[in-house]
Amino acid sequence: MIPSLEIGKRALLASQRGLDVTSNNIANVNTAGYSRQALMLRPGETVSLGGTMIGMGVLTAGIRQFRDSLIERDWRTYTAAQNRYQQDATILAQIEQALGEPGDQTLQTAMQRFFDAASQLAANPSRLSDRQLFVARASDLAAQFNRSSLAIEDIRSSTFVRTTQDVERVNQLLSTIASLNRRIAGSGNASGQTAPSLTDEQTQALQELSKYLDVTAARDDSGSLTVSSNGMVLVSLDTALSLRVQKNLDSATGETTLAFSVEKPDGTTVGSLVPRSGELASLAEHYNITLNPLTTSSGFSIARELDRLARTFADRVNAIAAGGYGLNDTGPTPPARAIFVPSSGSTITASTISINSLLVTDPAAVPTSATPNTPGNSDIITAIAALATDGTFLDSMTPEGYYGSIASRLAQMGASTNDRLSAAKTILEQVNSERESLSGVNLDEEATNLITYQRSFEAAARIVTATSDMLATVINLGR
Amino acid sequence: MRVTLQSLSSSIQSTLTELTARQAAQQMRLATGQRILHLSDAPTDMADIASFRSTISRMQRYSDTLDGALAEQETTSTALDAIGTTLADVRTLGTDALQIANQDKWSVFAQNVLSKIRDVIASANATHGDIFVFAGTKNTASALTTTPPEKDSTPYELVTTAPTPTNPSGLQVRFKGNTEPRYVQTGDASTEQVSTTADKVFGSGGTAVFDTLIALYNTLAFNADGTPRGDGQHPTPEQLDAVAALVKQIADATTVVNQAAADVGIRTERMTRQHDQLAEDITRQRDFLSQLSDTDVAEATMQLQRDQIAYEYSLKVGAKLLSISLFDFLQ
């Protein structure tokens, strides 16, 4: 009867462990990254009692975590993709705002008003009020270019700040994963099992890391996680490398770009990393191309396009104005007076374009006439007004057409990003659902388990009671 | 498939977020009247909208230019009418002066002619805003340079120079403007002359008519020997012939002025037609633009209603799903 007592004890213990695991599952029902656990049982050893082979009850074989590495890989992949497209969408929305699109205070409107004023002045070239209006509109246009350019430069600066903050967080996460590797390696029990909560914590860190970078992870037999990105190993065993944001200046062109170098804990650089997905990939791409006025990339750069438009606009207008006379110009040769000048340096860009201050103080100086002392002659200002419909202005487009193509390109990029973001979100939801289906806690299931273990505990206790009663009967036989 | 509390809650959360965003977007559309809130909402439409806006702006520019040009034509037309009427008056004076009964009153006729010359000059100096309509491209006071005996900054000025046998009064009308035409852009590839040049109204150099008028005045005001004509002094037969010839020239000049007025009328009619056409085109383009860029209020309201209903039901379903589990039924 002694074996029965042992069997009952084992059953009681197994039921208690089962209750513990179930309670832990219920307690972590809202814990992010938690993978549900289940108690693994195995039958006890078989012993021969009086020639009969008897099983010795139940033993706990360990705790199983429900986790699928393929699902988790997909989860990381689409988390990185979603965050990349989300960041793309955010930056593109900021660019839209910088350009005032879609709305009535855009560069297109400013150009229209400039040409309206030029046209009005062409009809009345000697009228001072129309000259003042033209100067005001030209000034507004320059200011609109300046505002848009400044706003885009601000976005670029904040992109850099965001990148450094992200890299700081990435380094913390890499360090956490390496530290957890060390703890996991030290937490193994005799049967080689590691602490499930540490693995969950590490998975959670890895999951957050994939928001910033495209990462791949492989767990070895000891439970250590090796993390790499685009072929560069970032965490191995208990060693974490760190990322550093580098701002590279091309001294020949003045172009600044950002790159990520990978460093050992002692500060030596082991290589560079080019993220292919995640927030950092988006931030780097927009900093280096979309928002970079000096990029040589064939990709779309809003800053470069605005500079090009501003420069061409000023050059074309100034070239015509150079042959014109103001109201009070009587000399035989035109004064070659520019309408747009750079506010600093010698090159006109969207940030430096400004109105010639002479015209602001003396609107009569606006060159409108092709011949001296003929205030009614409007050949020059008419030619300037005609630029509005010049189909060869820039890339075989009118000025407004060219700006429209920039806005259209932005719109296409935005729509494409939104589509990708939507697709990534949908897939991520599916993957998340699959992951939850496997690893998530179902309260109904846990409630059932709770009853099951409760009942088995009661039954096991009954075994002990029954055996005890039988033993008492045996002990009292001789009395 | 196992359904967990997390998957239930995240699914409900994402549905609610999506529906809230959709409601916010519809409300924004209704509040602003704009169908497109972001460039990415409709990339193709954005390109069309930009194109429509550009076209409308350009057409509006041409329309405004035509407005100004039409106003100037009106001023020009009024001035030409006045000039034509005055020249007709002068011709009548000349014809009357040839009457035998009036041949002893030429000095009176001469004063009347001089007065009419001044009237023609006043009309020739007609202004539209701050510009002289018959002064070509030198059409502002500041652009007109005066050389003695000229005194004022008007394009036409009657001055007195030294008398000569052919011009015993020494009167002369000086033209300080030029005969360059002025044009305005009325379409992408069309321009319209907005000014009526002095030579088209007053003959060669913009002064021929005045030379004729002064010659008439001189003939009426002076005897053949160049002395001022007194009351009762009769003209010579040569002077009678000269006045008859000058009256004929003035009649011709009147025809030229009337022709110029007719040209202005034709131009005005052409511009008015173009202006009306532009107004129609602008209305049509605005309609296209509105279809693309403005909110369809009925559609947006219905969509908002649908989203609100979906949101309310999602909330109800979510609340129900998340509020019960097996634990609620365990004793």
Side-chain angles (χ1 to χ4, degrees), chain A residues 246-305:
Chain A
Q246 281 183 315
K247 216 176 200 179
N248 300 325
L249 172 68
D250 184 331
S251 55
T253 62
E255 179 190 5
T256 53
T257 51
L258 70 78
F260 303 101
S261 63
V262 182
E263 294 178 349
K264 284 184 182 172
D266 63 6
T268 53
T269 304
V270 293
S272 62
L273 176 67
V274 181
R276 290 174 301 190
S277 191
E279 257 185 47
L280 287 179
S282 169
L283 291 166
E285 183 182 309
H286 290 299
Y287 185 91
N288 291 339
I289 300 175
T290 317
L291 301 164
N292 182 357
L294 300 173
T295 181
T296 51
S297 157
S298 59
F300 176 73
S301 163
I302 181 69
R304 184 179 57 191
E305 296 304 325

Side-chain angles (χ1 to χ4, degrees), chain A residues 224-372:
Chain A
S224 271
L225 202 62
T226 301
V227 179
S228 51
S229 176
N230 201 5
M232 174 69 71
V233 175
L234 300 174
V235 177
S236 177
L237 299 175
D238 61 349
T239 306
L241 303 185
S242 59
L243 298 189
R244 197 160 68 82
V245 187
Q246 281 183 315
K247 216 176 200 179
N248 300 325
L249 172 68
D250 184 331
S251 55
T253 62
E255 179 190 5
T256 53
T257 51
L258 70 78
F260 303 101
S261 63
V262 182
E263 294 178 349
K264 284 184 182 172
D266 63 6
T268 53
T269 304
V270 293
S272 62
L273 176 67
V274 181
R276 290 174 301 190
S277 191
E279 257 185 47
L280 287 179
S282 169
L283 291 166
E285 183 182 309
H286 290 299
Y287 185 91
N288 291 339
I289 300 175
T290 317
L291 301 164
N292 182 357
L294 300 173
T295 181
T296 51
S297 157
S298 59
F300 176 73
S301 163
I302 181 69
R304 184 179 57 191
E305 296 304 325
L306 281 185
D307 279 353
R308 195 160 171 241
L309 181 58
R311 190 163 45 248
T312 309
F313 201 96
D315 288 350
R316 293 292 302 271
V317 169
N318 287 345
I320 296 169
Y325 296 84
L327 279 183
N328 303 319
D329 296 322
T330 52
T333 54
R337 195 171 292 134
I339 289 178
F340 294 108
V341 293
S343 57
S344 62
S346 58
T347 311
I348 289 184
T349 62
S351 61
T352 63
I353 187 171
S354 68
I355 180 99
N356 185 344
S357 58
L358 173 70
L359 305 182
V360 178
T361 51
D362 181 17
V366 173
T368 51
S369 167
T371 51

Side-chain angles (χ1 to χ4, degrees), chain A residues 29 36 96 108 112 115-116 126 374-376 388-389 400 414-415 418 429 433 436-437 440-442 444-445 451, chain B residues 1-4 6 14 37 39-40 43 50 53-54 57-58 61 65 131 137-140 143 182 188 326 330:
Chain A
V29 67
R36 75 185 162 106
E96 267 186 26
Q108 185 183 17
Q112 278 169 5
F115 288 123
D116 285 346
S126 58
T374 50
T389 53
E400 289 175 47
N418 286 347
E429 271 173 22
S433 170
E436 271 298 311
S437 178
V441 175
N442 181 316
D444 295 340
E445 210 172 74
I451 295 165
Chain B
M1 186 174 182
R2 292 176 71 251
V3 178
T4 66
Q6 287 277 10
S14 110
L37 303 176
L39 286 178
S40 53
R53 281 191 177 144
S54 175
S57 165
R58 210 165 57 242
R61 245 185 340 254
T65 301
I131 62 166
T137 56
K138 290 181 78 168
N139 56 1
T140 62
R182 285 184 293 113
D188 288 351
L326 186 55
L330 294 177

Side-chain angles (χ1 to χ4, degrees), chain A residues 109-153:
Chain A
T109 316
M111 281 192 281
Q112 278 169 5
R113 287 180 180 156
F114 172 82
F115 288 123
D116 285 346
S119 189
Q120 194 171 328
L121 181 55
N124 308 285
S126 58
R127 194 180 292 167
L128 207 59
S129 59
D130 286 346
R131 287 175 171 270
Q132 283 164 339
L133 180 71
F134 175 76
V135 170
R137 294 295 186 235
S139 187
D140 289 347
L141 175 60
Q144 183 74 36
F145 267 118
N146 298 160
R147 266 197 302 277
S148 300
S149 176
L150 189 66
I152 284 166
E153 183 52 39

